[in-house]
Coordinates of all heavy atoms in Angstrom, one line a residue:
H1 N 0.8 -1.2 0.0 CA -0.1 0.0 0.0 C 0.9 1.3 0.0 O 0.6 2.1 -0.8 CB -0.9 0.0 1.2 CG -2.4 0.1 0.8 ND1 -3.1 1.3 0.8 CD2 -3.3 -0.9 0.5 CE1 -4.3 1.1 0.4 NE2 -4.5 -0.3 0.2
H2 N 1.8 1.3 0.9 CA 2.7 2.5 1.0 C 3.5 2.7 -0.3 O 3.8 3.8 -0.7 CB 3.7 2.3 2.2 CG 2.9 2.6 3.5 ND1 2.5 3.7 3.9 CD2 2.6 1.7 4.5 CE1 1.8 3.6 5.1 NE2 1.9 2.4 5.4
K3 N 3.9 1.6 -1.0 CA 4.7 1.8 -2.3 C 3.9 2.6 -3.2 O 4.4 3.5 -3.8 CB 5.0 0.4 -2.8 CG 6.3 -0.2 -2.2 CD 6.7 -1.5 -2.9 CE 7.8 -2.1 -2.2 NZ 8.2 -3.3 -2.9
H4 N 2.6 2.2 -3.3 CA 1.7 2.9 -4.4 C 1.5 4.3 -3.9 O 1.4 5.2 -4.7 CB 0.4 2.1 -4.5 CG 0.5 0.9 -5.2 ND1 0.8 0.9 -6.6 CD2 0.4 -0.4 -4.8 CE1 0.8 -0.4 -6.9 NE2 0.6 -1.3 -5.9
Q5 N 1.4 4.6 -2.7 CA 1.1 6.0 -2.1 C 2.3 6.9 -2.5 O 2.2 7.9 -3.0 CB 0.8 5.9 -0.6 CG 0.3 7.3 -0.1 CD -0.9 7.8 -0.8 OE1 -1.8 7.0 -0.9 NE2 -0.9 9.0 -1.2
G6 N 3.5 6.3 -2.2 CA 4.7 7.1 -2.5 C 4.8 7.3 -4.0 O 5.1 8.4 -4.5
K7 N 4.5 6.3 -4.8 CA 4.5 6.4 -6.2 C 3.5 7.6 -6.7 O 3.9 8.3 -7.6 CB 4.2 5.1 -6.9 CG 4.7 5.0 -8.3 CD 4.6 3.6 -8.9 CE 5.1 3.5 -10.3 NZ 4.9 2.1 -10.9
A8 N 2.4 7.6 -6.2 CA 1.4 8.6 -6.5 C 1.9 10.0 -6.1 O 1.7 10.9 -7.0 CB 0.0 8.3 -5.9
D9 N 2.5 10.0 -5.0 CA 3.0 11.4 -4.6 C 4.1 11.8 -5.5 O 4.1 13.0 -5.9 CB 3.5 11.3 -3.2 CG 2.4 11.2 -2.2 OD1 1.2 11.4 -2.5 OD2 2.8 10.8 -1.0
D10 N 5.0 10.9 -5.9 CA 6.0 11.2 -6.9 C 5.5 11.7 -8.2 O 5.9 12.6 -8.8 CB 6.9 10.0 -7.1 CG 7.8 9.7 -5.9 OD1 7.9 10.5 -5.0 OD2 8.4 8.5 -5.9
L11 N 4.4 11.0 -8.7 CA 3.8 11.3 -9.9 C 3.1 12.7 -9.9 O 3.2 13.5 -10.7 CB 2.7 10.2 -10.2 CG 2.5 9.9 -11.7 CD1 3.8 9.6 -12.4 CD2 1.6 8.6 -11.8
N12 N 2.4 13.0 -8.7 CA 1.8 14.3 -8.5 C 2.9 15.4 -8.6 O 2.7 16.4 -9.3 CB 1.2 14.3 -7.1 CG -0.3 14.1 -7.3 OD1 -0.9 14.3 -8.2 ND2 -0.8 13.5 -6.2
A13 N 4.0 15.2 -8.0 CA 5.1 16.2 -7.9 C 5.8 16.3 -9.4 O 5.9 17.4 -9.9 CB 6.2 15.8 -7.0
Y14 N 5.8 15.2 -10.1 CA 6.3 15.2 -11.4 C 5.4 15.9 -12.3 O 5.8 16.8 -13.2 CB 6.5 13.7 -11.9 CG 7.0 13.5 -13.3 CD1 8.3 14.0 -13.6 CD2 6.4 12.7 -14.2 CE1 8.8 13.7 -14.9 CE2 6.8 12.4 -15.4 CZ 8.0 13.0 -15.8 OH 8.5 12.8 -17.1
F15 N 4.1 15.6 -12.3 CA 3.1 16.3 -13.1 C 3.1 17.7 -12.8 O 3.0 18.6 -13.8 CB 1.7 15.6 -12.9 CG 1.6 14.3 -13.4 CD1 0.5 13.5 -13.1 CD2 2.4 13.8 -14.4 CE1 0.2 12.2 -13.6 CE2 2.3 12.5 -15.0 CZ 1.2 11.7 -14.6
A16 N 3.2 18.1 -11.6 CA 3.1 19.6 -11.2 C 4.3 20.3 -11.8 O 4.2 21.4 -12.4 CB 3.2 19.7 -9.7
D17 N 5.5 19.6 -11.8 CA 6.7 20.2 -12.5 C 6.5 20.4 -14.0 O 6.9 21.4 -14.6 CB 8.0 19.3 -12.2 CG 8.5 19.4 -10.8 OD1 8.0 20.4 -10.1 OD2 9.3 18.5 -10.4
I18 N 5.9 19.4 -14.6 CA 5.7 19.4 -16.1 C 4.7 20.6 -16.4 O 4.9 21.4 -17.3 CB 5.2 18.1 -16.6 CG1 6.2 17.0 -16.5 CG2 4.7 18.2 -18.1 CD1 5.7 15.6 -16.7
A19 N 3.6 20.6 -15.7 CA 2.6 21.6 -15.8 C 3.2 23.0 -15.6 O 2.9 24.0 -16.4 CB 1.4 21.5 -14.8
Q20 N 4.0 23.2 -14.6 CA 4.7 24.5 -14.4 C 5.6 24.9 -15.6 O 5.6 26.0 -16.0 CB 5.6 24.5 -13.2 CG 6.1 25.8 -12.8 CD 6.7 25.8 -11.4 OE1 7.0 24.7 -10.9 NE2 6.9 26.9 -10.8
A21 N 6.3 23.9 -16.2 CA 7.1 24.1 -17.3 C 6.3 24.5 -18.6 O 6.8 25.2 -19.4 CB 8.0 22.9 -17.6
L22 N 5.1 24.0 -18.7 CA 4.2 24.2 -19.8 C 3.4 25.5 -19.7 O 2.6 25.8 -20.5 CB 3.3 23.1 -20.0 CG 4.0 21.8 -20.4 CD1 3.0 20.6 -20.4 CD2 4.7 21.9 -21.7
A23 N 3.6 26.3 -18.5 CA 2.7 27.4 -18.2 C 2.4 28.4 -19.3 O 1.3 28.8 -19.4 CB 3.3 28.1 -17.0
D24 N 3.5 28.7 -20.2 CA 3.2 29.7 -21.2 C 3.1 29.0 -22.6 O 3.3 29.8 -23.6 CB 4.4 30.7 -21.2 CG 4.4 31.5 -19.9 OD1 3.4 31.8 -19.4 OD2 5.5 31.8 -19.4
T25 N 2.8 27.8 -22.6 CA 2.7 27.1 -23.9 C 1.3 27.2 -24.5 O 0.4 27.2 -23.7 CB 3.1 25.6 -23.7 OG1 4.3 25.5 -23.1 CG2 3.2 24.9 -25.0
H26 N 1.2 27.4 -25.8 CA -0.1 27.5 -26.5 C -0.7 26.2 -26.9 O -2.0 26.1 -27.0 CB -0.1 28.5 -27.6 CG 0.4 29.9 -27.1 ND1 -0.3 30.7 -26.3 CD2 1.6 30.6 -27.4 CE1 0.3 31.8 -26.1 NE2 1.5 31.7 -26.8
E27 N 0.2 25.3 -27.4 CA -0.4 24.0 -27.9 C 0.6 22.9 -27.3 O 1.8 22.9 -27.4 CB -0.3 23.9 -29.4 CG -1.3 24.8 -30.0 CD -1.2 24.7 -31.6 OE1 -0.1 24.3 -32.1 OE2 -2.2 25.1 -32.3
V28 N 0.0 21.9 -26.7 CA 0.8 20.8 -26.2 C 0.3 19.5 -26.8 O -0.9 19.2 -26.7 CB 0.7 20.7 -24.5 CG1 1.4 19.5 -24.1 CG2 1.2 22.0 -24.0
L29 N 1.3 18.7 -27.3 CA 1.0 17.4 -27.8 C 1.6 16.4 -26.8 O 2.9 16.4 -26.6 CB 1.5 17.1 -29.2 CG 1.4 15.8 -29.8 CD1 0.0 15.4 -29.9 CD2 2.1 15.7 -31.1
V30 N 0.8 15.6 -26.1 CA 1.3 14.6 -25.2 C 1.6 13.3 -25.9 O 0.8 12.8 -26.5 CB 0.4 14.4 -24.0 CG1 1.1 13.5 -23.0 CG2 0.1 15.8 -23.2
A31 N 2.9 12.8 -25.8 CA 3.2 11.6 -26.5 C 4.1 10.7 -25.5 O 4.8 11.2 -24.8 CB 4.0 11.9 -27.8
G32 N 3.8 9.4 -25.6 CA 4.6 8.5 -24.9 C 3.9 7.2 -24.8 O 2.8 7.0 -25.3
P33 N 4.6 6.2 -24.1 CA 4.0 4.9 -24.0 C 3.1 4.8 -22.8 O 3.1 5.6 -22.0 CB 5.4 4.0 -23.8 CG 6.3 4.9 -23.0 CD 6.0 6.3 -23.6
G34 N 2.3 3.8 -22.7 CA 1.5 3.4 -21.6 C 0.4 4.5 -21.2 O -0.1 5.3 -22.1
L35 N 0.0 4.4 -20.0 CA -1.1 5.2 -19.5 C -0.7 6.6 -18.9 O -1.6 7.4 -18.7 CB -1.8 4.4 -18.4 CG -2.4 3.0 -18.9 CD1 -3.0 2.3 -17.8 CD2 -3.5 3.3 -19.9
V36 N 0.6 6.8 -18.7 CA 1.0 8.0 -18.0 C 0.5 9.3 -18.7 O 0.1 10.2 -18.0 CB 2.5 8.0 -17.7 CG1 3.0 9.3 -17.0 CG2 2.9 6.8 -16.8
R37 N 0.6 9.3 -20.0 CA 0.1 10.5 -20.7 C -1.3 10.9 -20.5 O -1.7 12.0 -20.3 CB 0.5 10.4 -22.2 CG -0.3 9.4 -23.0 CD 0.1 9.3 -24.4 NE -0.9 8.5 -25.1 CZ -1.0 7.2 -25.0 NH1 -0.1 6.5 -24.3 NH2 -2.0 6.6 -25.7
N38 N -2.1 9.8 -20.3 CA -3.6 10.0 -20.0 C -3.8 10.5 -18.6 O -4.6 11.3 -18.2 CB -4.4 8.8 -20.3 CG -4.5 8.5 -21.9 OD1 -4.4 9.5 -22.6 ND2 -4.5 7.3 -22.2
Q39 N -2.9 9.9 -17.7 CA -2.9 10.3 -16.3 C -2.5 11.8 -16.1 O -3.1 12.5 -15.3 CB -1.9 9.4 -15.4 CG -2.5 7.9 -15.3 CD -1.4 7.1 -14.6 OE1 -0.2 7.2 -14.8 NE2 -1.9 6.2 -13.8
F40 N -1.6 12.1 -17.0 CA -1.1 13.6 -16.9 C -2.3 14.5 -17.3 O -2.5 15.4 -16.7 CB 0.1 13.8 -17.8 CG 0.5 15.3 -17.9 CD1 1.0 15.9 -16.7 CD2 0.4 15.9 -19.0 CE1 1.4 17.2 -16.8 CE2 0.9 17.3 -19.1 CZ 1.2 17.9 -18.0
R41 N -3.0 14.1 -18.4 CA -4.0 14.9 -18.9 C -5.2 15.0 -17.9 O -5.7 16.0 -17.6 CB -4.6 14.3 -20.2 CG -5.6 15.3 -20.8 CD -5.8 15.1 -22.2 NE -6.1 13.8 -22.7 CZ -6.4 13.5 -24.0 NH1 -6.5 14.5 -24.9 NH2 -6.7 12.3 -24.4
D42 N -5.5 13.8 -17.2 CA -6.5 13.9 -16.1 C -6.0 14.7 -14.9 O -6.8 15.4 -14.3 CB -6.7 12.4 -15.7 CG -7.4 11.6 -16.7 OD1 -7.9 12.1 -17.7 OD2 -7.4 10.3 -16.6
W43 N -4.7 14.7 -14.6 CA -4.2 15.4 -13.5 C -4.4 16.9 -13.8 O -4.8 17.7 -13.0 CB -2.7 15.1 -13.3 CG -2.1 15.8 -12.1 CD1 -2.1 15.4 -10.8 CD2 -1.5 17.2 -12.1 NE1 -1.4 16.4 -10.0 CE2 -1.1 17.4 -10.8 CE3 -1.3 18.1 -13.1 CZ2 -0.5 18.6 -10.4 CZ3 -0.7 19.3 -12.8 CH2 -0.3 19.5 -11.4
C44 N -4.1 17.3 -15.0 CA -4.2 18.7 -15.4 C -5.6 19.2 -15.4 O -5.9 20.3 -14.9 CB -3.7 18.9 -16.8 SG -1.9 18.9 -16.9
V45 N -6.6 18.3 -15.7 CA -8.0 18.7 -15.7 C -8.3 19.0 -14.2 O -9.1 20.0 -14.0 CB -8.9 17.6 -16.2 CG1 -10.4 17.8 -15.9 CG2 -8.8 17.4 -17.7
K46 N -7.8 18.3 -13.3 CA -8.1 18.6 -11.8 C -7.3 19.6 -11.2 O -7.8 20.4 -10.4 CB -7.9 17.3 -11.1 CG -8.9 16.2 -11.3 CD -8.5 14.9 -10.5 CE -9.4 13.7 -10.9 NZ -8.8 12.5 -10.5
H47 N -6.1 19.7 -11.6 CA -5.2 20.6 -10.9 C -4.6 21.9 -11.7 O -4.2 22.8 -11.1 CB -3.9 19.9 -10.5 CG -4.3 18.7 -9.6 ND1 -4.6 18.8 -8.2 CD2 -4.4 17.3 -9.8 CE1 -4.8 17.6 -7.7 NE2 -4.7 16.8 -8.7
D48 N -4.7 21.8 -13.0 CA -4.2 23.0 -13.7 C -5.0 23.1 -15.1 O -4.6 22.7 -16.1 CB -2.7 22.7 -14.1 CG -2.0 24.0 -14.6 OD1 -2.7 24.8 -15.2 OD2 -0.8 24.2 -14.2
A49 N -6.1 23.8 -15.0 CA -7.0 24.0 -16.0 C -6.4 24.7 -17.3 O -6.8 24.3 -18.4 CB -8.3 24.6 -15.6
I50 N -5.5 25.5 -17.0 CA -4.9 26.2 -18.1 C -4.1 25.4 -19.0 O -4.2 25.3 -20.2 CB -4.1 27.4 -17.6 CG1 -4.9 28.5 -17.0 CG2 -3.2 28.1 -18.7 CD1 -4.3 29.6 -16.1
V51 N -3.3 24.5 -18.4 CA -2.5 23.5 -19.1 C -3.4 22.5 -19.8 O -3.2 22.2 -20.9 CB -1.4 22.8 -18.3 CG1 -0.7 21.8 -19.0 CG2 -0.3 23.9 -17.8
A52 N -4.4 22.0 -19.1 CA -5.4 21.1 -19.6 C -6.0 21.7 -20.9 O -6.3 21.0 -21.9 CB -6.5 20.8 -18.6
G53 N -6.2 23.0 -20.9 CA -6.9 23.7 -22.1 C -6.0 23.7 -23.2 O -6.5 23.9 -24.4
V54 N -4.7 23.7 -23.1 CA -3.8 23.7 -24.3 C -3.3 22.4 -24.8 O -2.6 22.3 -25.7 CB -2.5 24.6 -24.0 CG1 -3.0 26.1 -23.7 CG2 -1.7 24.1 -22.9
I55 N -3.7 21.3 -24.1 CA -3.3 19.9 -24.6 C -4.3 19.6 -25.7 O -5.5 19.5 -25.6 CB -3.5 18.9 -23.4 CG1 -2.4 19.2 -22.3 CG2 -3.3 17.5 -24.0 CD1 -2.6 18.3 -21.1
V56 N -3.7 19.5 -26.9 CA -4.5 19.4 -28.0 C -4.7 17.8 -28.4 O -5.7 17.5 -29.0 CB -3.9 20.0 -29.3 CG1 -3.9 21.6 -29.2 CG2 -2.4 19.5 -29.6
D57 N -3.8 17.0 -27.9 CA -4.1 15.6 -28.1 C -3.0 14.8 -27.3 O -2.0 15.4 -26.7 CB -3.8 15.2 -29.6 CG -4.7 13.8 -29.9 OD1 -5.3 13.3 -29.0 OD2 -4.8 13.5 -31.1
S58 N -3.2 13.5 -27.1 CA -2.4 12.6 -26.4 C -2.2 11.3 -27.4 O -3.2 10.7 -27.7 CB -3.0 12.1 -25.1 OG -2.3 11.1 -24.5
I59 N -1.1 11.1 -27.8 CA -0.8 10.0 -28.8 C 0.2 9.0 -28.2 O 1.2 9.4 -27.5 CB -0.3 10.5 -30.2 CG1 0.9 11.3 -30.0 CG2 -1.5 11.3 -30.8 CD1 1.5 11.7 -31.4
S60 N -0.1 7.7 -28.6 CA 0.8 6.7 -28.1 C 2.1 6.7 -28.9 O 2.1 6.8 -30.2 CB 0.1 5.3 -28.4 OG 0.9 4.3 -28.0
A61 N 3.2 6.6 -28.3 CA 4.6 6.5 -29.0 C 5.5 5.7 -28.1 O 5.7 6.1 -26.9 CB 5.1 7.9 -29.2
D62 N 6.0 4.7 -28.5 CA 6.8 3.8 -27.7 C 8.3 4.2 -27.7 O 9.0 3.9 -28.6 CB 6.7 2.3 -28.2 CG 7.2 1.4 -27.1 OD1 7.5 1.7 -26.0 OD2 7.5 0.2 -27.6
H63 N 8.6 5.1 -26.8 CA 10.0 5.6 -26.6 C 10.6 6.1 -27.9 O 11.7 5.6 -28.4 CB 10.9 4.5 -26.1 CG 10.4 4.0 -24.8 ND1 10.4 4.7 -23.5 CD2 9.7 2.8 -24.4 CE1 9.9 4.0 -22.5 NE2 9.5 2.8 -23.1
P64 N 10.0 7.2 -28.5 CA 10.6 7.7 -29.7 C 11.9 8.4 -29.5 O 12.1 8.9 -28.4 CB 9.5 8.7 -30.2 CG 8.9 9.1 -28.9 CD 8.8 7.9 -28.0
T65 N 12.7 8.4 -30.5 CA 14.0 9.2 -30.5 C 13.6 10.6 -30.5 O 12.5 11.0 -31.0 CB 15.0 8.8 -31.6 OG1 14.3 9.2 -32.8 CG2 15.3 7.3 -31.6
D66 N 14.5 11.5 -30.2 CA 14.3 12.9 -30.4 C 13.9 13.4 -31.8 O 12.9 14.1 -32.0 CB 15.5 13.8 -29.9 CG 15.6 13.8 -28.4 OD1 14.6 13.3 -27.7 OD2 16.7 14.2 -27.9
P67 N 14.6 12.9 -32.8 CA 14.3 13.3 -34.2 C 12.9 12.7 -34.5 O 12.1 13.4 -35.3 CB 15.4 12.6 -35.1 CG 16.5 12.5 -34.2 CD 15.9 12.2 -32.8
Q68 N 12.5 11.5 -34.1 CA 11.2 11.0 -34.4 C 10.1 11.8 -33.7 O 9.1 12.1 -34.3 CB 11.1 9.5 -33.9 CG 11.9 8.5 -34.7 CD 11.8 7.2 -34.1 OE1 11.9 7.0 -32.9 NE2 11.8 6.1 -34.9
L69 N 10.4 12.2 -32.5 CA 9.5 13.1 -31.8 C 9.2 14.4 -32.4 O 8.1 14.9 -32.6 CB 10.0 13.2 -30.3 CG 8.9 13.7 -29.2 CD1 7.7 12.7 -29.2 CD2 9.7 13.7 -27.9
V70 N 10.3 15.0 -32.9 CA 10.3 16.2 -33.7 C 9.3 16.1 -34.9 O 8.5 17.0 -35.2 CB 11.6 16.9 -33.9 CG1 11.6 18.1 -34.9 CG2 12.3 17.3 -32.6
A71 N 9.7 15.0 -35.7 CA 8.9 14.8 -36.9 C 7.4 14.6 -36.6 O 6.6 15.0 -37.4 CB 9.5 13.5 -37.6
M72 N 7.1 13.9 -35.6 CA 5.8 13.6 -35.2 C 5.1 14.9 -34.8 O 4.0 15.2 -35.2 CB 5.7 12.6 -33.9 CG 4.5 11.9 -33.7 SD 4.6 10.9 -32.3 CE 6.2 10.5 -31.9
A73 N 5.7 15.7 -34.0 CA 5.2 17.0 -33.6 C 4.9 17.9 -34.8 O 3.8 18.5 -35.1 CB 6.1 17.8 -32.7
R74 N 6.0 18.0 -35.8 CA 5.8 18.8 -37.0 C 4.6 18.3 -37.8 O 3.8 19.2 -38.2 CB 7.0 18.7 -37.8 CG 8.2 19.6 -37.3 CD 9.2 19.8 -38.4 NE 10.2 20.6 -37.9 CZ 11.5 20.3 -37.9 NH1 11.9 19.1 -38.4 NH2 12.5 21.1 -37.4
Q75 N 4.5 17.1 -38.0 CA 3.4 16.5 -38.8 C 2.0 16.8 -38.1 O 1.1 17.2 -38.7 CB 3.6 15.0 -38.9 CG 2.5 14.3 -39.7 CD 2.7 12.8 -39.9 OE1 3.6 12.3 -39.2 NE2 2.2 12.2 -40.9
Y76 N 2.0 16.6 -36.8 CA 0.8 16.7 -36.0 C 0.4 18.2 -36.0 O -0.8 18.6 -36.3 CB 0.9 16.3 -34.6 CG -0.4 16.3 -33.9 CD1 -1.4 15.3 -34.0 CD2 -0.8 17.5 -33.3 CE1 -2.5 15.3 -33.4 CE2 -2.1 17.5 -32.7 CZ -3.0 16.5 -32.8 OH -4.2 16.5 -32.3
F77 N 1.2 19.2 -35.7 CA 0.8 20.5 -35.6 C 0.6 21.2 -36.9 O -0.3 22.0 -37.0 CB 1.9 21.4 -34.8 CG 1.8 21.1 -33.3 CD1 3.0 20.5 -32.7 CD2 0.7 21.3 -32.6 CE1 2.9 20.2 -31.3 CE2 0.7 21.0 -31.3 CZ 1.7 20.5 -30.6
K78 N 1.2 20.7 -38.0 CA 0.9 21.1 -39.3 C -0.6 20.8 -39.7 O -1.4 21.6 -40.2 CB 1.8 20.5 -40.4 CG 1.6 21.1 -41.8 CD 2.7 20.5 -42.7 CE 2.4 21.0 -44.2 NZ 3.3 20.3 -45.1
K79 N -1.0 19.5 -39.4 CA -2.3 19.2 -39.6 C -3.3 19.9 -38.7 O -4.3 20.3 -39.1 CB -2.4 17.6 -39.3 CG -3.7 17.0 -39.4 CD -3.8 15.5 -39.2 CE -3.8 15.2 -37.7 NZ -3.9 13.7 -37.3
F80 N -2.9 20.1 -37.4 CA -3.7 20.8 -36.5 C -3.9 22.2 -36.9 O -5.1 22.8 -36.9 CB -3.1 20.8 -35.1 CG -4.0 21.3 -34.0 CD1 -5.1 20.6 -33.5 CD2 -3.8 22.6 -33.6 CE1 -5.9 21.2 -32.5 CE2 -4.5 23.1 -32.6 CZ -5.6 22.4 -32.1
D81 N -2.9 22.9 -37.4 CA -2.9 24.3 -37.8 C -3.7 24.4 -39.1 O -4.6 25.3 -39.3 CB -1.5 24.8 -38.1 CG -0.7 25.1 -36.8 OD1 -1.4 25.1 -35.7 OD2 0.5 25.2 -36.9
N82 N -3.7 23.4 -40.0 CA -4.5 23.4 -41.2 C -5.9 23.3 -40.8 O -6.8 24.1 -41.5 CB -4.0 22.3 -42.2 CG -2.8 22.5 -42.9 OD1 -2.3 23.6 -42.9 ND2 -2.2 21.5 -43.4
M83 N -6.3 22.4 -39.9 CA -7.6 22.3 -39.5 C -8.2 23.6 -38.9 O -9.4 24.0 -39.1 CB -7.8 21.2 -38.5 CG -7.7 19.8 -39.2 SD -7.6 18.4 -37.9 CE -8.9 18.9 -36.8
A84 N -7.3 24.2 -38.1 CA -7.7 25.5 -37.3 C -7.9 26.6 -38.4 O -8.8 27.4 -38.2 CB -6.6 25.8 -36.3
A85 N -7.2 26.5 -39.4 CA -7.2 27.7 -40.4 C -8.3 27.5 -41.3 O -8.8 28.5 -41.9 CB -5.8 27.7 -41.2
D86 N -8.8 26.3 -41.6 CA -9.9 26.1 -42.6 C -11.1 25.6 -41.8 O -11.1 24.4 -41.5 CB -9.4 25.1 -43.6 CG -10.4 24.9 -44.7 OD1 -11.5 25.5 -44.7 OD2 -10.1 24.1 -45.6
P87 N -12.1 26.5 -41.6 CA -13.4 26.1 -40.9 C -14.0 24.9 -41.5 O -14.7 24.2 -40.9 CB -14.1 27.3 -40.9 CG -13.3 28.5 -41.2 CD -12.1 27.8 -42.0
S88 N -13.9 24.7 -42.8 CA -14.7 23.7 -43.5 C -14.1 22.3 -43.1 O -14.9 21.3 -43.3 CB -14.6 23.8 -45.0 OG -13.3 23.6 -45.5
T89 N -12.9 22.2 -42.6 CA -12.4 20.9 -42.2 C -12.6 20.6 -40.8 O -12.4 19.5 -40.3 CB -10.9 20.8 -42.6 OG1 -10.2 21.8 -41.8 CG2 -10.5 20.8 -43.9
A90 N -13.2 21.5 -40.0 CA -13.4 21.2 -38.6 C -14.8 20.5 -38.5 O -15.8 21.2 -39.0 CB -13.5 22.6 -37.8
A91 N -14.8 19.5 -37.9 CA -16.1 18.7 -37.9 C -16.7 18.8 -36.5 O -16.0 18.6 -35.5 CB -15.8 17.3 -38.2

């Protein structure tokens, strides 16, 4: 029981640090393996509505390299910007 409690506290502190680092960000794409990215989004909804509001999506990525992550972000934000710019594509 105590192990899980400690882990949850560590995760809370970790999420708080990430949210603080993202404070002035306009668009956030959360990427990574497993459930932690969704836990982070849920944490933001409860604890940091501003950051929650700028998270545009959460995508599964199994330990991408830095170049893969940059390519993914470029592809994603280009698509996202195109959708935002063209009201006819927004569903």
Side-chain angles (χ1 to χ4, degrees):
H1 237 265
H2 286 289
K3 277 185 183 177
H4 288 292
Q5 190 59 45
K7 199 171 182 184
D9 289 344
D10 290 346
L11 213 50
N12 265 327
Y14 180 60
F15 288 165
D17 286 346
I18 296 170
Q20 189 172 13
L22 295 173
D24 295 324
T25 309
H26 299 293
E27 291 177 341
V28 175
L29 175 62
V30 182
L35 300 172
V36 175
R37 66 184 192 285
N38 294 328
Q39 290 174 321
F40 175 66
R41 185 156 55 174
D42 293 344
W43 183 93
C44 285
V45 167
K46 289 180 190 161
H47 302 282
D48 197 324
I50 293 169
V51 172
V54 298
I55 295 175
V56 294
D57 205 354
S58 174
I59 57 174
S60 178
D62 193 18
H63 304 289
T65 63
D66 286 347
Q68 286 173 324
L69 200 54
V70 169
M72 206 183 331
R74 280 197 181 124
Q75 183 179 17
Y76 187 87
F77 286 118
K78 185 177 178 189
K79 180 177 80 177
F80 186 77
D81 288 344
N82 287 345
M83 284 172 50
D86 184 357
S88 69
T89 59

